[in-house]
Structure formats: structure tokens, C-alpha cells
Amino acid sequence: MSARKLTSIAFIAAVYAVLTYVFAPLSYHYIQFRISEMLTVLPFLTPTAIPGLFLGAVIANLGSPLGIYDVMFGGLATLIAAWLTSKMPNRWLAPLPPVIINAVIIGIELGTIAGIPGLTIPLAMLWVGLGELAVCYLLGIPFLLLLERYRGRIPGFNAKK
């Protein structure tokens, strides 16, 4: 793997983790509005973002109140969602895998492990899904459009469609 790819992976991981920590009050509860999730559109443009997002999520989840469970399940959810995002046929569908995968996996995690009174698995899935939907579409799509606009000026980012 080239130094450029390793640097890109590390940069994406660092930005994801820092955004998660900076906005921590919004990032770690059952009603999540994790600003860093806007980066989940990046695999649509470059496969290098897949390991970067995975590592970023693992690092960010080290600060989670759910501890190792969030590191494992959050990392897995991000990895699956990033890979599926890279397979999306157009930019409008690119944010959909993170919304669905996180709603299901993180919703199940929160509904079973978090121990929040009254929080059922379906309710946790709904809250996670709504927060993810808001971030991925309201922030992720404009971010993706901005990157596509400057695609020739950003090394490693090539817009598909």
C-alpha cells in the first residue's frame, strides 16, 4: 500500500474520531446526531475511505459509555456500511447503507446492552435511524456534492457519477 493511501486512511480516521469527540454530547446516546457520520459518504468516491472510517469509528468508540461493545459493534457497523456505500449506484443512495446498518446494529446494541429503562430494540433502532438519516442526508449529501465539485483538485477522490 502506498504512503498516499496510508495517509488518506489515517486522515479520514483522525477526522472521524475528532469530530465524534468534539461533538461527544451528540455522539454517544440513544438519540444520536453523530456529526462525523457525514463522512460515511466518502466510500462512494474512494475505497480508501472504507478502512479509514472503520478505524475512525473504532477509535471514536473507545470513548463510548458502552465500552468494548461499542468498539466492536460500532466498528463492524461502520465497516459493513462503508463497503455497501462504495457499491451504491448514485450519490443519492450513498448515505442509505449507514442509515440502515447503524439503525439495525447500533439499535440492537443500545436496546440490549445500554440498560436504558423503557428503551426497546425497535425504539432504539428508530432513534438511531432518525439521527443517522438526518446527518447522512442533511450533512453528508452537501459534503459529497462539494467533494464532487472539486474532484480534480483533491488527490485520491474521483467522483463516480
Side-chain angles (χ1 to χ4, degrees), residues 70-136:
D70 215 13
V71 171
M72 291 185 321
F73 294 116
L76 177 64
T78 300
L79 183 62
I80 293 167
W83 180 78
L84 289 171
T85 298
S86 73
K87 305 299 180 196
M88 290 294 102
N90 64 61
R91 72 178 67 87
W92 307 109
L93 294 176
L96 201 53
V99 173
I100 294 169
I101 298 300
N102 280 299
V104 172
I105 293 176
I106 304 307
I108 291 171
E109 176 191 7
L110 289 173
T112 57
I113 298 171
I116 300 168
L119 184 66
T120 63
I121 291 173
L123 188 57
M125 292 168 106
L126 175 68
W127 285 122
V128 172
L130 288 174
E132 196 74 16
L133 185 71
V135 172
C136 289

